[in-house]
Amino acid sequence: MLFLLLAVVAVPLKSHHEIRQLIDSLGHGTVPVELSHLTGDEVGLPLSLRMAVGVVYLTVHEILRGVAALMMIAPEASVGYQGTPWGSKAYELAAFQDYYLPFVSVFVTQILLLTPIALIALTFARSFPARAALLLAMVSCFGGWPPELINLVFWLGGHLLDWPRAYYLFADRYLPSDVAGLAYQLLLMVWLIRARSIPLTVLPLVVALGQFTSEHLGFIAGVAMAAHALWSIPDRRAAIRLALVRLALAGLVSVAVLMLMLGVVLTREGYYQRWLDGQSVRHMVDEYLQYKWLHYGKYNELWWRVIVANFVSYLSPPMLIGGLVGLVRARWDRDTLELVTMRWRAAGAVVAPLFLIMVIGGLNSGYTSDLGRQALPLAVMLVPLSAALAQRLFMPIVYRS
């Protein structure tokens, strides 16, 4: 109930732009551009490199449509309708299917994608105070934290350097694909904690699901499962050998799925026709990279000091609050050393490759404008990581007392 209360506030707070566009567009009978990857095209498939979020949306939409079919919305269009001399008020109910149903579907989809946050709270803490603190800290990342805390971060930074006070970072909106990527990584954390072993037959499925969710998640899943081998197998040589096998297999699956998705998406975008017309693949790739560099990479290089400062400003609150939550957990949760160690290892195995991806993403991502949106998953996952590390650090002190 606490999670639902927080999620109902967090979803419209950071996705009001998409919801407003959806309402305006549905009134004109069109689909907004920023949600087009959710609703699919004429064949009913969400064709993009972040296809999983579209599948989730379409599933939720069809389930709700089926539930609506159990209600008397439009009897005129049903089998056995014989007419009535009294007129009909069904047109008022029919508006639900055409107008409100897509809106409700988007809202339910985003809340469903946020549920792994509650699962993390249940997995990383045992007592209610610790779970509530962890849950509140993670969901607070969507609201941008209390203004007093952000003012304190900028005040401290300003005493050290000419620190940029970028309040827009914490008010930046997110896209549904960002929340889908966060959900996948949080579920990956929970799985790494609970999995005693990872069969090589299961690994391709996990990696493929990540690759369908977002472009970088196949790599993160491969690195995380390779790290799992290093801490779960006592024999060091066997652990390294298995880690390399997992990493190689994950790489092959990621590339294969990415090529499949690229083939479908680029064909529909007209790149295949350009290739038939004589343009080489290398020319199109160079064109794409040049576009990314001119619009993003070049400015990231010029403003790299500001971007680094913004990273520190944006990620400091979740790390600080996560550390305080770790103190609460050390006091209320009498966990074993093995369990606490497993938690921070699993969280670190997912956060470390994501941080590396964000560093590499400086070549083609708009960090000068929407860093708050792109770093949102990293900020949320830093809460359980810093909480687990703080709990491990303060366990000897608290237990001795």
Side-chain angles (χ1 to χ4, degrees):
M1 292 179 65
L2 177 61
F3 164 74
L4 290 177
L5 177 65
L6 295 172
V8 167
V9 175
V11 168
L13 186 65
K14 297 301 287 288
S15 61
H16 59 87
H17 181 76
E18 282 73 22
I19 294 176
R20 185 174 64 251
Q21 269 202 335
L22 178 64
I23 294 175
D24 294 341
S25 301
L26 290 173
H28 297 87
T30 60
V31 178
V33 175
E34 294 185 3
L35 288 174
S36 60
H37 67 285
L38 288 178
T39 55
D41 60 0
E42 65 275 4
V43 299
L45 293 175
L47 297 178
S48 71
L49 295 182
R50 300 176 180 180
M51 193 178 297
V53 65
V55 174
V56 174
Y57 168 79
L58 290 175
T59 302
V60 171
H61 183 72
E62 292 304 317
I63 291 175
L64 294 180
R65 184 188 296 274
V67 173
L70 301 176
M71 306 174 187
M72 194 177 67
I73 293 179
E76 298 89 344
S78 63
V79 177
Y81 177 71
Q82 303 176 28
T84 173
W86 311 112
S88 174
K89 295 183 179 180
Y91 65 89
E92 298 178 357
L93 297 175
F96 170 80
Q97 190 164 355
D98 298 330
Y99 188 80
Y100 294 105
L101 183 59
F103 167 76
V104 174
S105 299
V106 170
F107 199 81
V108 172
T109 297
Q110 295 199 33
I111 291 183
L112 182 64
L113 292 174
L114 288 177
T115 52
I117 292 180
L119 185 59
I120 284 289
L122 294 174
T123 304
F124 274 66
R126 289 194 302 171
S127 64
F128 177 76
R131 287 176 174 175
L134 191 61
L135 181 64
L136 182 61
M138 287 188 289
V139 178
S140 294
C141 293
F142 290 85
W145 305 100
E148 292 78 11
L149 177 59
I150 307 306
N151 290 333
L152 176 62
V153 171
F154 289 140
W155 180 80
L156 291 175
H159 278 69
L160 299 175
L161 299 168
D162 184 14
W163 205 260
R165 293 184 292 274
Y167 287 93
Y168 74 93
L169 293 172
F170 304 92
D172 206 357
R173 58 188 175 88
Y174 62 70
L175 296 177
S177 56
D178 301 325
V179 188
L182 171 63
Y184 175 85
Q185 292 169 94
L186 293 177
L187 291 175
L188 186 61
M189 276 189 193
V190 175
W191 186 50
L192 292 178
I193 292 175
R194 299 182 176 182
R196 297 302 176 186
S197 62
I198 300 177
L200 293 181
T201 54
V202 176
L203 184 146
L205 299 177
V206 177
V207 173
L209 178 59
Q211 196 64 55
F212 274 113
T213 304
S214 191
E215 301 92 318
H216 61 284
L217 293 181
F219 168 78
I220 291 178
V223 173
M225 287 186 283
H228 180 274
L230 296 178
W231 76 63
S232 60
I233 298 179
D235 188 344
R236 180 56 52 186
R237 288 190 176 183
I240 294 176
R241 190 182 309 113
L242 180 58
L244 293 176
V245 170
R246 288 180 178 178
L247 198 59
L249 181 58
L252 291 175
V253 174
S254 293
V255 171
V257 174
L258 180 61
M259 291 298 103
L260 175 63
M261 299 174 67
L262 279 173
V264 175
V265 174
L266 296 184
T267 298
R268 298 195 58 81
E269 293 292 333
Y271 287 92
Y272 181 68
Q273 184 61 43
R274 291 174 58 182
W275 179 73
L276 293 178
D277 294 339
Q279 294 192 29
S280 65
V281 175
R282 179 179 178 181
H283 173 76
M284 288 186 281
V285 171
D286 290 343
E287 182 183 60
Y288 171 81
L289 294 177
Q290 185 179 18
Y291 172 85
K292 288 292 187 179
W293 172 255
L294 292 177
H295 287 79
Y296 302 116
K298 180 178 69 174
Y299 298 104
N300 290 341
E301 182 184 27
L302 293 174
W303 288 76
W304 70 269
R305 291 180 178 85
V306 175
I307 293 174
V308 171
N310 287 345
F311 259 105
V312 175
S313 298
Y314 190 69
L315 299 180
S316 294
M319 293 180 65
L320 175 62
I321 299 298
L324 294 177
V325 171
L327 292 178
V328 175
R329 289 167 51 189
R331 172 63 181 85
W332 291 96
D333 293 352
R334 296 285 176 166
D335 295 318
T336 63
L337 177 62
E338 180 184 3
L339 180 58
V340 175
T341 302
M342 186 67 71
R343 288 170 179 168
W344 75 257
R345 282 176 174 175
V350 179
V351 170
L354 176 60
F355 184 81
L356 177 60
I357 286 293
M358 294 208 66
V359 173
I360 299 174
L363 299 174
N364 65 348
S365 299
Y367 288 163
T368 54
S369 59
D370 62 349
L371 176 62
R373 177 186 70 80
Q374 300 201 43
L376 177 64
L378 180 60
V380 174
M381 290 187 293
L382 278 176
V383 174
L385 173 59
S386 58
L389 289 174
Q391 184 181 10
R392 174 64 186 89
L393 179 64
F394 288 98
M395 276 179 65
I397 301 175
V398 175
Y399 282 19
R400 190 179 302 115
S401 62

